[in-house]
Amino acid sequence: MVGMVAFALAALLFLAFCVSVRQDRRRFQNAVLLGLTFLSAFSAVFLQVAKLPVWAAVTVLVLAFASPALAFLGLGVYLVRNGLVMIRKEGFRPANLLSMLAGLAIFSLIALLVLVGVVGSPLLGGIAGTLTVVAGYVSFVFFCFLGYAFLYGRIKVRGDVDHVVMLGSGLVGGDRVPPLLASRLRKGQQIYEAQLARSGRPPVLLVSGGKGSDEKVAEARAMADWLIAQGVPEQHVVLEDRSTTTEENMLFSREIMTAHDPAYRCVVVTNNFHAFRAAMLARKTGVNGQVLGSPTAKYYVPSATIREFVAVFWEHRVVNLAICGLLTALGALGTLAAVLV
């Protein structure tokens, strides 16, 4: 009976996920609903273990506990190695250390759990348990984000659009387009050329990015020059050169598009690791369009993805910090009770 209830809950959560995605694919709640669907489905299967033959029950238990533990350890190794690659290729900067720090955090938690087993201290055990639960919550939210970001990245442009908005990033030497930004521009140009060949109605290429304190020209100017050098007619390129953040990219680009046609339809282009968060910002700022991701060097993706997750986690900090605080308080109470006993 309990198992049937769990399966019913998984089905309801999946239905809610489908409805939410249909209403707007750019919601973070879609990611959470997807994660809860998988969690409840797994719980439903787990509750049926007692009804399975011994060999099947053992297989399920191994998959449920041993596989995640090995994957957790493997993830730590991968992140540390990736961190070393990031430092070698991109330099020793805080943003480039994220994957290594995440890997070291995994190994620190594993070491703490091993130490609890050796020492057997109730206080240390309570601290380790609390950290594990909080880390479990953060990990759950992270995998919700990662899983849905992957799904969101599979969307395709259907029909014609009026504008292709390309989000800026830092320039090399203050005036040159780096490979990361060139990837976005190539993706936008591909959309432009495909629509031109399909319908003969080229979209406006709207390049968005202001001038940083260490840049000689606005990012939009460098982006426009790059596109024109690739053969795009200058009259098909429009500049938005005031923005300094992704949210401003969206707001100022929306102003330009709305002034051109209040009923505009657009697509926004950024790198794949940034697409889902950019989509959430597009929804927040009222931009009428989905976000597509362009390819990124594989070694760059882990740190960039962690950075995006941290930003999303902080954007929803009221809920996330409240839950982490509650879990910490419950853990402290449990630790205190264990020490007093």
PDB file of all heavy atoms in Angstrom, residues 130 323-336:
ATOM      1  N   THR A 130      25.190  16.287  10.531  1.00  0.00           N
ATOM      2  CA  THR A 130      24.560  17.544  10.128  1.00  0.00           C
ATOM      3  C   THR A 130      25.126  18.040   8.805  1.00  0.00           C
ATOM      4  O   THR A 130      24.384  18.442   7.893  1.00  0.00           O
ATOM      5  CB  THR A 130      24.766  18.621  11.214  1.00  0.00           C
ATOM      6  OG1 THR A 130      24.202  18.151  12.443  1.00  0.00           O
ATOM      7  CG2 THR A 130      24.103  19.930  10.805  1.00  0.00           C
ATOM      8  N   ILE A 323      16.021  26.430   4.523  1.00  0.00           N
ATOM      9  CA  ILE A 323      16.060  24.967   4.632  1.00  0.00           C
ATOM     10  C   ILE A 323      17.389  24.508   5.231  1.00  0.00           C
ATOM     11  O   ILE A 323      17.416  23.638   6.120  1.00  0.00           O
ATOM     12  CB  ILE A 323      15.835  24.322   3.256  1.00  0.00           C
ATOM     13  CG1 ILE A 323      14.402  24.593   2.780  1.00  0.00           C
ATOM     14  CG2 ILE A 323      16.105  22.816   3.300  1.00  0.00           C
ATOM     15  CD1 ILE A 323      14.108  24.110   1.386  1.00  0.00           C
ATOM     16  N   CYS A 324      18.500  25.092   4.773  1.00  0.00           N
ATOM     17  CA  CYS A 324      19.809  24.734   5.334  1.00  0.00           C
ATOM     18  C   CYS A 324      19.870  25.078   6.821  1.00  0.00           C
ATOM     19  O   CYS A 324      20.430  24.316   7.623  1.00  0.00           O
ATOM     20  CB  CYS A 324      20.925  25.453   4.583  1.00  0.00           C
ATOM     21  SG  CYS A 324      21.216  24.835   2.909  1.00  0.00           S
ATOM     22  N   GLY A 325      19.310  26.225   7.193  1.00  0.00           N
ATOM     23  CA  GLY A 325      19.285  26.614   8.601  1.00  0.00           C
ATOM     24  C   GLY A 325      18.454  25.654   9.442  1.00  0.00           C
ATOM     25  O   GLY A 325      18.851  25.281  10.564  1.00  0.00           O
ATOM     26  N   LEU A 326      17.307  25.240   8.911  1.00  0.00           N
ATOM     27  CA  LEU A 326      16.449  24.295   9.628  1.00  0.00           C
ATOM     28  C   LEU A 326      17.156  22.955   9.809  1.00  0.00           C
ATOM     29  O   LEU A 326      17.128  22.364  10.909  1.00  0.00           O
ATOM     30  CB  LEU A 326      15.142  24.105   8.867  1.00  0.00           C
ATOM     31  CG  LEU A 326      14.148  23.090   9.446  1.00  0.00           C
ATOM     32  CD1 LEU A 326      13.718  23.500  10.854  1.00  0.00           C
ATOM     33  CD2 LEU A 326      12.938  22.929   8.535  1.00  0.00           C
ATOM     34  N   LEU A 327      17.791  22.465   8.749  1.00  0.00           N
ATOM     35  CA  LEU A 327      18.508  21.196   8.845  1.00  0.00           C
ATOM     36  C   LEU A 327      19.660  21.284   9.847  1.00  0.00           C
ATOM     37  O   LEU A 327      19.922  20.337  10.604  1.00  0.00           O
ATOM     38  CB  LEU A 327      19.050  20.794   7.469  1.00  0.00           C
ATOM     39  CG  LEU A 327      17.998  20.446   6.404  1.00  0.00           C
ATOM     40  CD1 LEU A 327      18.663  20.206   5.060  1.00  0.00           C
ATOM     41  CD2 LEU A 327      17.200  19.217   6.831  1.00  0.00           C
ATOM     42  N   THR A 328      20.347  22.419   9.860  1.00  0.00           N
ATOM     43  CA  THR A 328      21.441  22.621  10.812  1.00  0.00           C
ATOM     44  C   THR A 328      20.921  22.655  12.247  1.00  0.00           C
ATOM     45  O   THR A 328      21.519  22.053  13.150  1.00  0.00           O
ATOM     46  CB  THR A 328      22.191  23.933  10.499  1.00  0.00           C
ATOM     47  OG1 THR A 328      22.701  23.876   9.164  1.00  0.00           O
ATOM     48  CG2 THR A 328      23.343  24.145  11.466  1.00  0.00           C
ATOM     49  N   ALA A 329      19.797  23.338  12.458  1.00  0.00           N
ATOM     50  CA  ALA A 329      19.215  23.415  13.804  1.00  0.00           C
ATOM     51  C   ALA A 329      18.777  22.037  14.291  1.00  0.00           C
ATOM     52  O   ALA A 329      19.027  21.657  15.450  1.00  0.00           O
ATOM     53  CB  ALA A 329      18.030  24.379  13.799  1.00  0.00           C
ATOM     54  N   LEU A 330      18.135  21.271  13.415  1.00  0.00           N
ATOM     55  CA  LEU A 330      17.721  19.917  13.790  1.00  0.00           C
ATOM     56  C   LEU A 330      18.928  19.038  14.090  1.00  0.00           C
ATOM     57  O   LEU A 330      18.928  18.238  15.025  1.00  0.00           O
ATOM     58  CB  LEU A 330      16.874  19.307  12.669  1.00  0.00           C
ATOM     59  CG  LEU A 330      15.506  19.947  12.439  1.00  0.00           C
ATOM     60  CD1 LEU A 330      14.843  19.338  11.197  1.00  0.00           C
ATOM     61  CD2 LEU A 330      14.617  19.769  13.660  1.00  0.00           C
ATOM     62  N   GLY A 331      19.985  19.206  13.277  1.00  0.00           N
ATOM     63  CA  GLY A 331      21.197  18.452  13.527  1.00  0.00           C
ATOM     64  C   GLY A 331      21.844  18.814  14.838  1.00  0.00           C
ATOM     65  O   GLY A 331      22.351  17.950  15.569  1.00  0.00           O
ATOM     66  N   ALA A 332      21.833  20.110  15.180  1.00  0.00           N
ATOM     67  CA  ALA A 332      22.413  20.560  16.462  1.00  0.00           C
ATOM     68  C   ALA A 332      21.631  19.989  17.633  1.00  0.00           C
ATOM     69  O   ALA A 332      22.226  19.557  18.641  1.00  0.00           O
ATOM     70  CB  ALA A 332      22.412  22.091  16.502  1.00  0.00           C
ATOM     71  N   LEU A 333      20.306  19.959  17.521  1.00  0.00           N
ATOM     72  CA  LEU A 333      19.485  19.385  18.585  1.00  0.00           C
ATOM     73  C   LEU A 333      19.754  17.887  18.740  1.00  0.00           C
ATOM     74  O   LEU A 333      19.859  17.367  19.864  1.00  0.00           O
ATOM     75  CB  LEU A 333      18.003  19.618  18.288  1.00  0.00           C
ATOM     76  CG  LEU A 333      17.507  21.070  18.403  1.00  0.00           C
ATOM     77  CD1 LEU A 333      16.060  21.191  17.950  1.00  0.00           C
ATOM     78  CD2 LEU A 333      17.651  21.555  19.845  1.00  0.00           C
ATOM     79  N   GLY A 334      19.866  17.200  17.593  1.00  0.00           N
ATOM     80  CA  GLY A 334      20.174  15.772  17.652  1.00  0.00           C
ATOM     81  C   GLY A 334      21.543  15.507  18.252  1.00  0.00           C
ATOM     82  O   GLY A 334      21.731  14.559  19.035  1.00  0.00           O
ATOM     83  N   THR A 335      22.515  16.339  17.913  1.00  0.00           N
ATOM     84  CA  THR A 335      23.865  16.192  18.469  1.00  0.00           C
ATOM     85  C   THR A 335      23.871  16.423  19.962  1.00  0.00           C
ATOM     86  O   THR A 335      24.507  15.685  20.721  1.00  0.00           O
ATOM     87  CB  THR A 335      24.815  17.189  17.775  1.00  0.00           C
ATOM     88  OG1 THR A 335      24.817  16.951  16.368  1.00  0.00           O
ATOM     89  CG2 THR A 335      26.231  17.042  18.324  1.00  0.00           C
ATOM     90  N   LEU A 336      23.161  17.468  20.393  1.00  0.00           N
ATOM     91  CA  LEU A 336      23.081  17.777  21.825  1.00  0.00           C
ATOM     92  C   LEU A 336      22.455  16.623  22.592  1.00  0.00           C
ATOM     93  O   LEU A 336      22.936  16.237  23.667  1.00  0.00           O
ATOM     94  CB  LEU A 336      22.266  19.060  22.028  1.00  0.00           C
ATOM     95  CG  LEU A 336      22.092  19.532  23.475  1.00  0.00           C
ATOM     96  CD1 LEU A 336      23.451  19.849  24.102  1.00  0.00           C
ATOM     97  CD2 LEU A 336      21.173  20.764  23.533  1.00  0.00           C
TER      98      LEU A 336
END
